[in-house]
Amino acid sequence: MDRLSNTVRPYAWGSTTAIPALLGIAPTGEPQAEMWMGAHPGAPSRITRTTASGETELALTEAIEADPEGELGTATVARFGPRLPFLLKLLAAGAPLSLQVHPNLDQAREGYADEEARGVPIDAPHRTYKDANHKPELICALTPFDGLCGFRRPTEAADAMEALGVDSVKPYVDLLRAHPEEAALREVLTAILTADPAEMADTVAEAAAAAERLGGAHAPYARIAHNYPGDPGVLAAMLLNYVQLQPGEALFLGAGVPHAYLDGLGVEIMANSDNVLRCGLTPKHIDVPELLRIVRFEATEPGVLRPEAAPSGEERYETPVDEFALSRYTLASGAAPTGLTAPTPQILLCTAGSVTVGELALGPGESAYVPAGETVEAAGAGTLFRATVAA
């Protein structure tokens, strides 16, 4: 078992205070958006191992590369290859993230192979597929957490847009009311993303001012427009369900579901991939034709997940994916230790109180990596999240 030393990513949308407050350290004044826990090559966690020459610090990626089956277990390597198949994060949004969608596994493989065959450099700004993997993800709120998730009914989106009273928005309203669900959502998103940029900037400015005046259910869109003035994603956001999570509640984001996180602190787990197709709220490249191929144009209710309790004290967030499983344990002082031994690798993250896993004491925001099959128990008084590979 290893204590993890993790990298915090300073993306512009990050909160300046949420992660420092959890860690009990002073803010630096710069955004601290995501703390990565795992073996992603872009920012792998670091561990310290004892070798014949003494203690050596190394990246978790290096430890796994040196002994994949010893670290991950034979079954995990057979299913996913010699890599940790999930990435765990603390995510702290102080401003809206980009509006985005992820491909399914077949789409990711096809898209990656196509761009490789066409010789598109992996670091090119217009490159869409960074790898051949899908990226299902789950966000569990630690504080009240706001987001957008999935298309709402076209008639509801039409009502919200019509209430703005902006003439240049009326064509979208008419499309939403005139066509069957799938066609309406597809045509309006296409029209928004392919509109003349100058004209769209004016439309968004008028829509933002109207949303500010209306307040109430329109307030989130005014806030989005404040962070992304003139961005077509402001109107695209009005096609989606607005969701407010309470601590302990979660959202699962599957392939093809457009979404964006707006504000709050949460624990996020995802398949280890960088494949993101953006729909707006970003200065980055938007591949409209590929986006329209990937997006699922259907209205859905945002399914808010609550953990399912087991006799062992585990509270598990059930998802339909193989790469990861997320559980929560609420440990009480003086209670018998909770066994966490598993045949797959684990990352354990404390988010409240003080817990001990094996010989490691963890406080809020601190984490540990447990190789597959290693015996481990947890005790103390606090909240512990457990990330592992789905059984």
Side-chain angles (χ1 to χ4, degrees):
M1 183 187 317
D2 305 277
R3 183 182 297 276
L4 294 178
S5 175
N6 305 306
T7 298
V8 175
R9 310 305 294 263
Y11 303 135
W13 49 262
S15 167
T16 59
T17 59
I19 289 179
L22 183 70
L23 296 173
I25 61 177
T28 64
E30 74 171 355
Q32 298 191 35
E34 296 180 347
M35 186 171 77
W36 289 17
M37 291 159 278
H40 189 286
S45 299
R46 300 195 68 80
I47 61 176
T48 300
R49 290 278 174 93
T50 301
T51 66
S53 58
E55 289 194 342
T56 301
E57 183 182 69
L58 70 162
L60 184 55
T61 46
E62 296 175 293
I64 292 171
E65 287 168 3
D67 184 10
E69 292 196 354
E71 299 291 340
L72 305 177
T74 303
T76 297
V77 173
R79 291 166 71 191
F80 304 108
R83 62 186 184 87
L84 187 67
F86 64 83
L87 177 65
L88 187 67
K89 300 179 181 180
L90 280 172
L91 184 147
L97 283 68
S98 65
L99 189 60
Q100 59 188 253
V101 69
H102 305 303
N104 63 33
L105 189 55
D106 288 340
Q107 291 164 340
R109 288 171 175 169
E110 292 169 6
Y112 180 77
D114 174 66
E115 290 189 313
E116 287 288 282
R118 290 190 286 117
V120 181
I122 198 71
D123 57 353
H126 61 285
R127 174 91 186 212
T128 298
Y129 293 96
K130 307 295 186 183
D131 53 68
N133 199 17
H134 63 166
K135 193 184 177 184
E137 60 189 39
L138 179 141
I139 184 78
C140 177
L142 295 179
T143 67
F145 195 97
D146 295 359
L148 303 170
C149 178
F151 289 112
R152 54 182 170 178
R153 295 185 183 91
T155 53
E156 293 177 1
D159 290 343
M161 288 186 173
E162 189 171 40
L164 297 171
V166 175
D167 287 343
S168 53
V169 173
K170 289 181 180 178
Y172 307 134
V173 174
D174 293 340
L175 285 172
L176 288 167
R177 296 197 191 284
H179 293 283
E181 177 180 290
E182 180 178 346
L185 295 170
R186 179 182 292 274
E187 288 187 34
V188 172
L189 183 62
T190 302
I192 288 171
L193 295 180
T194 57
D196 176 84
E199 293 179 2
M200 177 54 68
D202 291 340
T203 296
V204 170
E206 290 185 61
E212 184 75 33
R213 289 194 304 271
L214 290 168
H218 286 79
Y221 309 108
R223 179 157 51 96
I224 292 170
H226 176 75
N227 287 278
Y228 297 96
D231 193 300
V234 175
L235 289 185
M238 297 188 74
L239 300 174
L240 307 187
N241 296 295
Y242 173 62
V243 186
Q244 293 179 295
L245 300 178
Q246 296 306 309
E249 294 180 335
L251 281 176
F252 172 72
L253 289 313
V257 177
H259 61 278
Y261 303 143
L262 304 181
D263 184 72
L265 176 67
V267 174
E268 185 181 41
I269 189 168
M270 62 185 62
N272 207 341
S273 169
D274 289 321
N275 286 327
V276 175
L277 288 93
R278 294 175 175 84
C279 320
L281 309 183
T282 178
K284 295 182 179 180
H285 174 66
I286 298 177
D287 185 344
V288 175
E290 186 65 9
L291 175 69
L292 297 176
R293 188 178 78 91
I294 297 302
V295 171
R296 289 168 49 193
F297 287 100
E298 59 184 25
T300 58
E301 293 294 329
V304 175
L305 298 178
R306 295 172 181 85
E308 298 184 11
S312 63
E314 178 185 26
E315 296 178 299
R316 188 180 178 104
Y317 294 89
E318 295 293 343
T319 63
V321 297
D322 296 330
E323 284 86 354
F324 63 76
L326 185 71
S327 301
R328 183 181 68 176
Y329 293 83
T330 302
L331 305 175
S333 179
T338 298
L340 298 177
T341 305
T344 60
Q346 304 180 69
I347 293 178
L348 306 176
L349 167 66
C350 176
T351 59
S354 177
V355 302
T356 301
V357 291
E359 298 180 353
L360 299 179
L362 302 179
E366 296 181 328
S367 56
Y369 163 73
V370 185
E374 184 170 315
T375 301
V376 60
E377 292 182 329
T383 303
L384 187 70
F385 279 85
R386 177 198 202 189
T388 188
V389 180

